[in-house]
């Protein structure tokens, strides 16, 4: 079983964490691809943690877990903190292949998506 | 002339701000659509500010400026701070139509983009 773990920073504002969980559910429903499960996890301030998220998927029988950073910029969290969590998880779950995907902000498709959004302005709010 | 202002939070890490400026340049080159200019601006910690960004575009002859929040979640910055900046800019530039686009995280296309990224894991880094 192959699983996807969407990793966000985590927020004190619980509604922001819930947005990420809802996105993971939407991906599971419509964009599952080869992923039998899609879950959300958080670097800090919210639960589950990355370690807990990977642990739950491994316990559920995942033989492969893809960790995808839901981050816009390649700061310390993306370049150091998340890779370090992945390394620790690999040591704890030698039977599971844990892969790290590029972070959202690095996707070439972001520019096209923004261009599309730019066309969807609220015309009633225009001056 | 119609212009697009990509508004990010802004970071103390200058490389993150430069990533946003590079994204704006990439959009100008490949996804300009109806936009004669695409520029970046920042809510805080980096320059130009939203007010400066809109002011420069208006001074350059923009008759319409679309402000697009480069944010993943609909927190206070997206729901209050950026709309307030847009309101103030409308008062300062009554000759310019200033529209507010939805924030990146609200785009339905984000899920498909993430699913695509999830396929691009670093196989050499797999355990």
């Amino acid at each position: 079983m192959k699983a996807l773990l969407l990793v966000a920073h985590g927020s004190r504002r619980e509604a922001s964490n819930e947005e990420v969980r809802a996105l993971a559910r939407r991906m599971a429903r419509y964009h599952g691809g080869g992923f039998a499960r899609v879950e959300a996890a958080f670097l800090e301030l919210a639960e589950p943690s990355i370690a807990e998220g990977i642990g739950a998927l491994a316990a559920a029988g995942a033989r492969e877990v893809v960790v995808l950073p839901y981050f816009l910029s390649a700061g310390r969290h993306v370049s150091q903190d998340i890779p370090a969590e992945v390394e620790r998880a690999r040591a704890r779950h030698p039977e599971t292949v844990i892969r790290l995907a590029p972070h959202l902000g690095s996707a070439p498709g972001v520019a096209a998506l923004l261009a599309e959004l730019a066309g969807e302005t609220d015309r009633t709010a225009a001056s």
Side-chain angles (χ1 to χ4, degrees), chain A residues 13-70:
Chain A
R13 181 178 167 271
E14 186 50 28
S16 292
N17 303 325
E18 196 42 52
E19 279 182 66
V20 180
R21 295 186 191 105
L23 176 58
R25 288 193 293 271
R26 209 156 64 239
M27 289 187 67
R29 226 172 301 140
Y30 300 112
H31 303 280
F35 299 102
R37 286 183 59 174
V38 182
E39 301 288 344
F42 301 90
L43 187 61
E44 52 190 52
L45 302 172
E47 297 187 328
S49 67
I50 300 174
E52 289 165 347
I54 293 173
L57 289 169
R63 285 285 156 269
E64 183 175 341
V65 175
V66 172
V67 174
L68 200 171
Y70 186 58

Side-chain angles (χ1 to χ4, degrees), chain A residues 36-103:
Chain A
R37 286 183 59 174
V38 182
E39 301 288 344
F42 301 90
L43 187 61
E44 52 190 52
L45 302 172
E47 297 187 328
S49 67
I50 300 174
E52 289 165 347
I54 293 173
L57 289 169
R63 285 285 156 269
E64 183 175 341
V65 175
V66 172
V67 174
L68 200 171
Y70 186 58
F71 282 71
L72 289 179
S73 75
R76 186 173 45 85
H77 293 321
V78 164
S79 65
Q80 296 174 38
D81 299 343
I82 296 175
E85 286 288 344
V86 165
E87 274 310 312
R88 281 191 284 271
R90 282 176 181 150
R92 269 195 313 273
H93 304 284
E95 77 294 350
T96 306
V97 175
I98 305 175
R99 301 186 194 277
L100 183 57
H103 68 289

